[in-house]
Amino acid sequence: QIEALWTYLEDGTRAKKPAGLSRQARELRVGDVAEICRGRGPVGYRGIAVGYPQGVNLAFDSEQMSLRLLWKGEFVGIDAGHFHPRGTDQISFPPGIPFHPLESPEAAWPRKGKNNHLFPQDHGYQFLGYHLDAQRRPTFRYRYGDILVEDFFEDRVDSDSKPFFRRILTFTAPSVSQPFEFRAAAGQGLTARSDRTFAIGPLQVRLTSDHQGRVRQGRPDELLIPLRPPEGRSTLTLEYQW
């Protein structure tokens, strides 16, 4: 072994790195169907990253059942149970549950406390996994109280061939629910261009179903969509373009 070390050192600056002393990053690439990577990432311990064929990607927090990250281009690098977004044009969303009934216009949106290990189950949430369509695009399934929520992201392209996401939320309720709010986006500088189109930095959020939103000023500003799903099935549809 000593002789082998001297032989290696004799090559000086021409010496190649010995196998085992460098760890090559492993990249997960997207082809004609979507790719899914689960593990710890920038969105928490129970992140689910999804890369779509049109060149857009997302990361979903299955612990808090919320969209946490969008980006374009390359998908992820993976390493020992972790994933790392590799692309560009990242859009971050703050942690927190997607639905909540506000007790007052000034009430804070719920956050997980350091010692609150029951969050968000204590707010009526339960993650139920996901199923895949023919292109391996997932529909995330979870419960909010008595309501079954199916959360599907579809990768599309606009008239200028730029990719974007259409998000379809399907609610199945056993009876008419109590009203609550959906926090569709949050961040400083959120503005309303109309009651259905909103912008924050490079991100534009547009409601395409028969719903209206409002901006609640704060730290951060929040895009809130009032909801009261009827008995049976109903949908909320919106688009994320950036």
Side-chain angles (χ1 to χ4, degrees), residues 14-97:
R14 298 173 300 171
K16 298 180 180 179
K17 292 182 179 180
L21 291 186
S22 65
R23 299 175 61 185
Q24 300 297 324
R26 293 182 294 171
E27 179 184 356
L28 186 59
R29 298 181 179 180
V30 180
D32 296 332
V33 296
E35 294 289 345
I36 298 177
C37 181
R38 300 179 59 176
R40 185 175 180 180
V43 303
Y45 287 92
R46 295 183 176 88
I48 303 176
V50 189
Y52 293 77
Q54 294 294 350
V56 286
N57 316 282
L58 65 83
F60 188 86
D61 182 357
S62 65
E63 181 180 15
Q64 300 187 25
M65 281 138 277
S66 60
L67 173 65
R68 291 292 309 282
L69 191 65
L70 300 174
W71 71 98
K72 293 180 178 178
E74 296 180 352
F75 184 32
V76 294
I78 53 176
D79 178 34
H82 294 62
F83 65 82
H84 313 279
R86 292 178 55 91
T88 60
D89 304 298
Q90 290 192 10
I91 302 292
S92 297
F93 299 81
I97 53 180

Side-chain angles (χ1 to χ4, degrees), residues 60 65-67 93 96-102 109 125 142 144 149 151 153 167-169 171 179-186 205 207 209 211-214 222-229 236-240:
F60 188 86
M65 281 138 277
S66 60
L67 173 65
F93 299 81
I97 53 180
F99 311 117
H100 184 68
L102 292 172
W109 199 261
Y125 284 88
Y142 47 94
Y144 172 56
V149 183
D151 198 348
F153 292 82
R167 185 179 189 181
I168 304 171
L169 291 144
F171 307 99
F180 56 90
E181 309 260 9
F182 168 47
R183 188 171 71 161
V205 182
L207 304 179
S209 56
H211 295 85
Q212 296 180 354
R214 64 183 178 90
E222 297 168 318
L223 169 54
L224 302 178
I225 303 171
L227 296 174
R228 191 177 188 182
L236 163 67
T237 306
L238 61 159
E239 296 176 349
Y240 296 99

Side-chain angles (χ1 to χ4, degrees), residues 100-128:
H100 184 68
L102 292 172
E103 297 179 358
S104 70
E106 300 80 20
W109 199 261
R111 289 186 174 185
K112 181 178 181 178
K114 291 184 178 180
N115 298 319
N116 185 4
H117 303 297
L118 296 178
F119 186 87
Q121 287 77 18
D122 57 349
H123 284 76
Y125 284 88
Q126 180 186 9
F127 186 63
L128 301 176

